[in-house]
Amino acid sequence: MDFKDKTDRENERAEGKAKTNRDFGKGVVAGLAAAALIAVCIWGTRSILGSFSGGFGSESISKADAEKKLDTIDALIDRYYLYGDEIDSDALVEGIYSGYAEALGDPYTEYYDEEESQALLESTSGEFSGIGVTMSQGADGTVTAVNIYEDSPADKAGMKAGDILLRVDGKDIQGENLNTVVSYVKGEKGTEVDLTVLRDGEEVELTAVRDTIEVQTVEYEMMEGQIGYISVSEFDEVTYEQFSTALNDLESQDMKGLVIDVRNNPGGNVETVTDMLKLLLPEGPIMSTKDKEGNTEEITCDGAHEFKKPLAVLVNGNSASASEIFSGAIQDYGIGTIVGTTTYGKGVVQQLIGLGDGTYLKLTIAEYYTPSGRSINGTGVTPDVEVEYEYDENDPEADNQLEKALETVEGQLN
């Protein structure tokens, strides 16, 4: 099986992930409407209609009774609902599917309509058709470019960080939410999009030609004392190559030790994270899974690339799912020190099941275990060195957790 899993933002889980209020938040890469925060595991497209035991209904409510009740509700809405002229019948039907999945009470099982499914599938690959700009929306609704991908269509068009987006193809985007704005900017590769931005009080007209953009999920640099630093924001299909490149480049610079930062990393593709761990772990198991029937599957490492230099992994309460597979494996083998605060505690795997009409059901199918056989579901990975992040108003760029991780690695060099 090709497992993938990501987690939604912690606050979205706490609120039950109500789709009517879904907002993928700040920092959405233009052209990537789903950002990178939805948990998925990709399976083949197939229909599950009619696969429920006994069909639609339950022991106490027959299928006929359920259909009759829905017809009654529909008739009452049709007769009395004040805003009946504004009813979207398709949305009502989609709501039935969504509610059916939500009623399981599992925070990770969810139904995705066709539009949401497309955005979800796009987000897992780490590639999308857009212009390569990360945008943020302020409390006043202002949409601002906060990061421009190097050599991207946005960069070539002259867009700059700090530009305030006013119009897309002549359409005023004031009052639109960030996801809607992103949908205006994204589009088919090779097509043009006209952007009007506000820069230094003046309107600037730009034209970008959409292209395939690879999300930059890995950032790295060499720190003082020849200690490498690699930050991994999520585990997408593109992340392995980015991580491998970063590791090799740091090694070529005579790296003495390494800090890997997966703080606020919501998870991602399990194949990606296990392949990355194969660049670090000794020979042995990486993780295992167990499904409802008790069937187990184990992913192993041959140890050919075992990392033997001082290593620290940074985590926090928003490090979830694949991030916990990563940090849990490092901790179990004792090849690195886990620094930060206890991780989120998502130790289950979801699979994305195609329903044959462009919609998908994301369903929890298994629990996973670290190399030592421990489950972190609901408990998380406890750091070896616990340190809370402390914001320094005099130095907003200061990072006491990173400093502790660097200190931990440096201490092992002496």
Side-chain angles (χ1 to χ4, degrees):
M1 287 185 286
D2 178 22
F3 288 120
K4 292 184 182 178
D5 70 287
K6 283 186 184 176
T7 54
D8 288 332
R9 288 182 175 178
E10 187 171 351
N11 64 339
E12 288 177 337
R13 292 196 206 95
E15 296 168 2
K17 300 190 300 179
K19 281 205 197 124
T20 53
N21 295 319
R22 176 178 292 151
D23 182 352
F24 294 110
K26 298 180 179 179
V28 178
V29 178
L32 182 56
L37 302 170
I38 302 177
V40 299
C41 302
I42 293 188
W43 199 5
T45 299
R46 69 180 182 88
S47 173
I48 63 170
L49 300 179
S51 66
F52 303 105
S53 58
F56 184 78
S58 67
E59 291 182 2
S60 59
I61 304 174
S62 70
K63 179 179 180 180
D65 286 342
E67 291 176 344
K68 181 179 179 180
K69 192 168 186 176
L70 283 172
D71 285 341
T72 299
I73 292 172
D74 190 53
L76 289 170
I77 290 173
D78 185 54
R79 182 171 183 179
Y80 297 112
Y81 183 52
L82 179 61
Y83 304 108
D85 292 340
E86 302 173 16
I87 292 175
D88 183 339
S89 297
D90 289 340
L92 290 179
V93 175
E94 292 291 319
I96 294 174
Y97 305 144
S98 181
Y100 200 89
E102 187 176 341
L104 290 174
D106 176 12
Y108 309 116
T109 291
E110 190 167 5
Y111 168 81
Y112 293 89
D113 65 26
E114 191 170 358
E115 183 178 349
E116 292 168 334
S117 295
Q118 180 60 38
L120 180 63
L121 295 172
E122 198 174 53
S123 75
T124 62
S125 69
E127 292 185 337
F128 60 94
S129 180
I131 65 170
V133 55
T134 305
M135 297 188 295
S136 174
Q137 187 165 42
D140 61 355
T142 300
V143 175
T144 304
V146 295
N147 180 50
I148 311 297
Y149 282 29
E150 185 177 354
D151 202 33
S152 67
D155 187 23
K156 294 174 181 177
M159 199 169 193
K160 300 182 182 300
D163 283 351
I164 297 173
L165 191 60
L166 300 178
R167 292 182 293 278
V168 179
D169 284 332
K171 181 178 179 61
D172 188 349
I173 58 93
Q174 306 311 305
E176 302 280 11
N177 66 47
L178 188 57
N179 291 328
T180 300
V181 175
V182 167
S183 72
Y184 295 156
V185 175
K186 63 182 275 189
E188 186 177 349
K189 178 180 178 180
T191 59
E192 292 185 348
V193 57
D194 295 324
L195 308 168
T196 305
V197 302
L198 185 65
R199 181 188 302 163
D200 298 327
E202 296 184 4
E203 290 191 8
V204 179
E205 302 291 339
L206 307 171
T207 298
V209 180
R210 299 179 178 100
D211 202 349
T212 299
I213 306 298
E214 181 177 296
V215 178
Q216 196 63 40
T217 60
V218 173
E219 301 289 344
Y220 70 99
E221 63 178 300
M222 186 68 79
M223 311 291 277
E224 289 185 17
Q226 292 302 107
I227 299 176
Y229 171 78
I230 302 177
S231 173
V232 184
S233 61
E234 59 199 53
F235 295 94
D236 289 338
E237 293 176 12
V238 299
T239 306
Y240 173 79
E241 288 298 332
Q242 294 177 7
F243 180 80
S244 178
T245 297
L247 194 60
N248 289 334
D249 191 14
L250 290 171
E251 289 281 21
S252 72
Q253 297 179 51
D254 193 26
M255 175 175 62
K256 305 299 183 185
L258 176 64
V259 173
I260 300 175
D261 190 348
V262 293
R263 288 176 297 176
N264 302 312
N265 182 323
N269 187 321
V270 172
E271 183 178 357
T272 296
V273 70
T274 52
D275 283 349
M276 288 166 61
L277 283 167
K278 290 175 183 178
L279 299 176
L280 303 170
L281 296 182
E283 183 178 3
I286 298 175
M287 65 170 287
S288 61
T289 61
K290 181 185 291 186
D291 66 18
K292 66 180 294 184
E293 304 297 336
N295 300 314
T296 61
E297 182 175 348
E298 185 176 74
I299 300 174
T300 61
C301 177
D302 62 11
H305 305 285
E306 182 179 354
F307 190 80
K308 297 183 178 181
K309 297 176 181 180
L311 171 67
V313 177
L314 271 169
V315 298
N316 65 9
N318 293 321
S319 302
S321 196
S323 293
E324 296 172 294
I325 292 174
F326 189 89
S327 54
I330 297 293
Q331 187 176 59
D332 277 8
Y333 279 104
I335 67 168
T337 304
I338 309 302
V339 180
T341 55
T342 301
T343 62
Y344 183 79
K346 180 180 182 289
V348 288
V349 177
Q350 283 70 51
Q351 200 153 352
L352 192 65
I353 304 171
L355 303 181
D357 59 354
T359 65
Y360 284 79
L361 177 70
K362 184 189 69 179
L363 191 65
T364 298
I365 62 162
E367 186 167 0
Y368 71 76
Y369 302 85
T370 67
S372 66
R374 60 176 169 147
S375 169
I376 54 85
N377 197 40
T379 59
V381 175
T382 302
D384 303 307
V385 178
E386 188 158 0
V387 53
E388 294 277 354
Y389 174 75
E390 298 176 359
Y391 177 74
D392 186 347
E393 61 181 13
N394 296 318
D395 184 7
E397 298 300 316
D399 187 342
N400 64 301
Q401 289 179 318
L402 175 56
E403 290 172 2
K404 174 58 74 172
L406 291 169
E407 178 185 311
T408 299
V409 171
E410 187 177 7
Q412 298 175 45
L413 292 174
N414 300 328

